[in-house]
Amino acid sequence: MKFTDMPLSPETLRAISDLNFTSPTPIQEESISILLQGYDLIGQSQTGTGKTAAFGIPLIERIEPLDRGLQAVVLCPTRELCIQVSGDLRRLLKYHDSIRVVPVYGGQPIDRQIQALRGGVQIVVGTPGRFIDHLNRRTIKPAGVTMVVLDEADEMLNMGFIEDMETILSRMPQERQTALFSATMPEPIVDLAARYLNAPKRIQSDAGQVVAPKIEEVWFDIKEKLKPEALSRLIEYERPDRMLVFCNTKKRVETLASVMKERGIQVLALHGDLNQLQRDLVMKRFRTEPIGILIATDVAARGLDVENIDIVVNYDVPEHEEYYVHRIGRTARAGKSGKAFTFVVGREYARLEEIASYTGHSITQGHLPTLSDLESRRTAIFLDEIRLLIDENGFDHRLDHFQRIVDRLDREGYAPSDVAAALISRVLDVRPDVADDLNAPSRLPEKDYANSEKIPLIINIGTRKKVRAKDIVGAIAGETGIPGHVLGEIRIDADQTMIEVPKELVSDVLQVMDGATIKGLPVRVTKAGSEKPAAKHKPRRK
């Protein structure tokens, strides 16, 4: 089926043609048909399936252009997604001169939004909190709303907007059409749909089709402590114009950004602790300045719309399969190709297998660039630059001066080939051979440690922080790659945990785990007997 086969207005078809859309994606074809017939809809789909057009086209078709009142509402989890959806709708409205769309979200002066709403608007795209502000101020009047769309409902749930969504839906007219789109269907979203949607039709996009086919997906087996070096080498070897690096927490984003800057690599950081002005500045710099590396959390990057992302790096394996799809879907857009790299430590390999099963795509194991690879890469680029310089300026008098210098050295007995080799070694700063264990596997080979001497280690966290034995064992196995069954006795007290580790593995555990986190809490690991004694308290005077 083509868009021209659908019962759409000439204005909408013309805008679709300008966007070079010819055939709808599967979710677009099903959604548009169902929504044009007036049914409520539950659509389970991921980023990259074209769901904005899936609800946007029928939404536009239902608008009465001569009615200047509010007729349609789209709720989104983040400001960035609001802006992206509003922009997509405006492109579809290109030839609908009388229909206006206004985004409302936190972080922007509400007075400016009130002024825009007073001018008459048929479509409002908003975040739940700011939308409720306008409802309470009566600057948004929902009496004429005929269609409500919940976009990325599961993410609104994750961000704590479930009660806001219920409040908004309860204040909408009973006679309306409602569409809910969500990557996953957790129980609270299922319950919300049951209470506020009327006999909805259900569709689900094929998970195996949500990852763009032109993305090269590669994973690297790596030790946690070597991740910064691995990222640095990928940046130098790949030399991307635009790279997105995803971490699972705000703290990880800040720490990694600091480490990269210490290494002389300019990066930008984006996470939920930044206020809206700071986030806008970061995104403006990422789009316009030659700082092509953005380190971000999943929530902060929702709705992020930047063209020409060459590479996406999962610095941390994502916590949910759909996050993987959201992340790597930032590259290989508009028919272009892209790369997605994932760092995998120890037992995280099981999570990677779950992700591959979910997407239906194979993720190939790769090898990180060695120091020799980097030298070869630098040399190849340098030689290309030299060839280009000679080809462009070989007969140009601007090179005469330098040729005379070479001739002079030649007369002094220095062969031109020796001169060139000396200069190249200086320019490329060739390093001597050094040990390079970056590609050493993080998952240690299985070995029988039954008869190994066990050394007790102390971790400064215990039952007072609700830590259990499986939390300790899981953290050690996940961070170091050491199989949990080789660990010995474990005893958890109120404020510390003792765990026995085979003597051969003690140095690995101390190096990797000291400063790591367990249940989100930073920990310190020491050999038993080497921990600092508790401070003595002076008795209080009576």
Side-chain angles (χ1 to χ4, degrees):
M1 174 182 283
K2 296 185 180 297
F3 282 108
T4 51
D5 299 325
M6 296 180 171
L8 303 177
S9 65
E11 294 84 359
T12 300
L13 287 172
R14 190 177 171 193
I16 289 172
S17 177
D18 286 356
L19 293 170
N20 295 318
F21 295 165
T22 54
S23 300
T25 65
I27 195 168
Q28 288 171 350
E29 183 175 341
E30 290 188 79
S31 297
I32 292 171
S33 175
I34 290 170
L35 292 174
L36 285 177
Q37 294 178 61
Y39 293 105
D40 283 7
L41 172 68
I42 295 174
Q44 190 167 350
S45 68
Q46 314 290 337
T47 292
T49 55
K51 59 180 166 54
T52 302
F55 65 74
I57 289 172
L59 180 150
I60 289 169
E61 293 296 291
R62 294 201 58 179
I63 298 295
E64 292 291 341
L66 298 181
D67 180 354
R68 302 294 292 172
L70 179 62
Q71 299 174 50
V73 171
V74 181
L75 295 180
C76 303
T78 67
R79 172 191 189 274
E80 288 77 16
L81 190 56
C82 274
I83 294 172
Q84 179 182 325
V85 169
S86 300
D88 290 343
L89 291 178
R90 287 195 181 101
R91 285 185 279 275
L92 292 169
L93 287 166
K94 183 176 180 179
Y95 300 105
H96 291 273
D97 298 332
S98 301
I99 302 178
R100 291 185 65 230
V101 56
V102 170
V104 297
Y105 45 80
Q108 185 187 58
I110 197 167
D111 293 343
R112 189 186 307 170
Q113 295 173 1
I114 292 172
Q115 190 65 31
L117 292 168
R118 283 176 178 165
V121 56
Q122 292 97 336
I123 305 169
V124 167
V125 182
T127 52
R130 181 52 62 93
F131 192 89
I132 289 177
D133 284 347
H134 283 288
L135 281 176
N136 292 337
R137 292 168 181 260
R138 296 186 57 78
T139 47
I140 285 180
K141 299 176 181 178
V145 171
T146 60
M147 186 172 183
V148 176
V149 177
L150 305 179
D151 191 13
E152 298 199 5
D154 56 345
E155 194 58 34
M156 287 193 277
L157 169 68
N158 293 338
M159 297 176 69
F161 290 143
I162 188 69
E163 292 182 0
D164 289 346
M165 285 191 283
E166 293 175 347
T167 297
I168 292 168
L169 289 172
S170 67
R171 295 175 68 172
M172 294 294 113
Q174 289 286 334
E175 296 296 323
R176 68 169 190 275
Q177 185 178 22
T178 307
L180 183 152
F181 288 86
S182 188
T184 59
M185 295 298 295
E187 187 174 341
I189 296 300
V190 173
D191 181 59
L192 182 81
R195 287 185 288 124
Y196 291 101
L197 273 66
N198 179 29
K201 302 287 185 181
R202 296 174 181 267
I203 59 175
Q204 182 172 358
S205 65
D206 181 4
Q209 300 299 317
V210 301
V211 177
K214 294 186 177 181
I215 299 178
E216 179 186 351
E217 299 175 64
V218 178
W219 70 277
F220 301 108
D221 185 8
I222 186 170
K223 296 179 180 178
E224 179 67 34
K225 64 182 179 180
L226 296 178
K227 281 185 177 181
E229 174 65 16
L231 181 60
S232 301
R233 292 195 193 180
L234 283 175
I235 291 168
E236 182 175 355
Y237 189 83
E238 297 288 343
R239 298 176 182 246
D241 291 327
R242 289 284 181 274
M243 174 189 276
L244 272 176
V245 182
F246 283 99
C247 298
N248 287 348
T249 66
K250 294 176 285 189
K251 183 179 179 181
R252 296 275 284 179
V253 168
E254 287 289 355
T255 301
L256 179 58
S258 177
V259 170
M260 288 294 104
K261 290 173 183 176
E262 289 174 0
R263 288 170 169 259
I265 300 172
Q266 291 302 303
V267 299
L268 296 165
L270 186 70
H271 55 74
D273 277 356
L274 302 181
N275 61 41
Q276 200 59 61
L277 184 61
Q278 291 171 320
R279 292 170 71 176
D280 289 345
L281 179 59
V282 168
M283 290 311 303
K284 180 180 179 181
R285 294 182 67 191
F286 186 54
R287 289 188 177 98
T288 61
E289 296 182 14
I291 303 177
I293 303 168
L294 177 65
I295 305 172
T297 56
D298 292 284
V299 172
R302 283 290 175 125
L304 185 150
D305 189 20
V306 178
E307 295 182 353
N308 302 321
I309 300 292
D310 304 306
I311 297 174
V312 172
V313 176
N314 296 303
Y315 191 82
D316 297 324
V317 176
E319 296 175 348
H320 304 288
E321 291 90 342
E322 60 269 21
Y323 283 5
Y324 178 85
V325 176
H326 281 299
R327 289 179 179 186
I328 74 170
R330 305 297 172 190
T331 188
R333 293 193 167 187
K336 298 179 181 178
S337 60
K339 297 179 180 180
F341 298 143
T342 302
F343 292 167
V344 179
V345 178
R347 295 203 313 176
E348 290 177 340
Y349 181 72
R351 290 284 304 119
L352 187 76
E353 289 184 315
E354 292 172 0
I355 289 169
S357 175
Y358 176 79
T359 64
H361 279 213
S362 62
I363 307 175
T364 306
Q365 182 173 6
H367 292 280
L368 290 156
T370 63
L371 296 177
S372 177
D373 293 334
L374 294 182
E375 297 294 356
S376 298
R377 178 74 162 155
R378 291 192 204 104
T379 301
I381 292 171
F382 178 72
L383 291 178
D384 284 343
E385 292 172 350
I386 292 295
R387 293 186 186 104
L388 181 62
L389 186 63
I390 294 173
D391 290 342
E392 289 184 347
N393 303 301
F395 300 100
D396 195 313
H397 292 300
R398 284 177 295 181
L399 292 183
D400 288 348
H401 173 68
F402 303 107
Q403 289 172 342
R404 285 195 293 271
I405 294 175
V406 174
D407 292 341
R408 174 181 164 185
L409 290 169
D410 188 20
R411 290 193 300 271
E412 293 176 6
Y414 296 97
S417 60
D418 292 338
V419 172
L423 292 173
I424 289 173
S425 69
R426 184 161 209 171
V427 170
L428 293 180
D429 189 25
V430 176
R431 289 174 285 181
D433 291 335
V434 295
D436 187 6
D437 63 348
L438 193 64
N439 286 298
S442 67
R443 291 178 293 155
L444 297 179
E446 291 290 335
K447 180 180 176 181
D448 184 9
Y449 290 100
N451 297 318
S452 296
E453 180 185 355
K454 299 293 193 300
I455 304 297
L457 301 183
I458 301 297
I459 305 174
N460 64 332
I461 192 171
T463 56
R464 201 184 302 277
K465 296 296 184 181
K466 300 182 179 179
V467 170
R468 299 163 296 179
K470 69 176 186 177
D471 299 321
I472 301 292
V473 174
I476 292 175
E479 293 288 345
T480 66
I482 295 172
H485 65 81
V486 308
L487 301 173
E489 180 187 352
I490 181 170
R491 185 179 68 246
I492 305 179
D493 298 324
D495 294 308
Q496 70 176 29
T497 297
M498 186 283 296
I499 185 167
E500 292 182 336
V501 175
K503 183 177 181 180
E504 300 92 330
L505 303 177
V506 167
S507 60
D508 285 332
V509 174
L510 290 174
Q511 187 174 24
V512 176
M513 288 301 297
D514 194 27
T517 60
I518 297 177
K519 296 192 74 172
L521 300 168
V523 298
R524 184 167 52 84
V525 183
T526 57
K527 288 185 180 180
S530 65
E531 64 272 15
K532 294 180 180 180
K536 295 181 179 180
H537 298 283
K538 294 180 180 180
R540 288 183 293 179
R541 295 179 181 176
K542 295 183 180 181

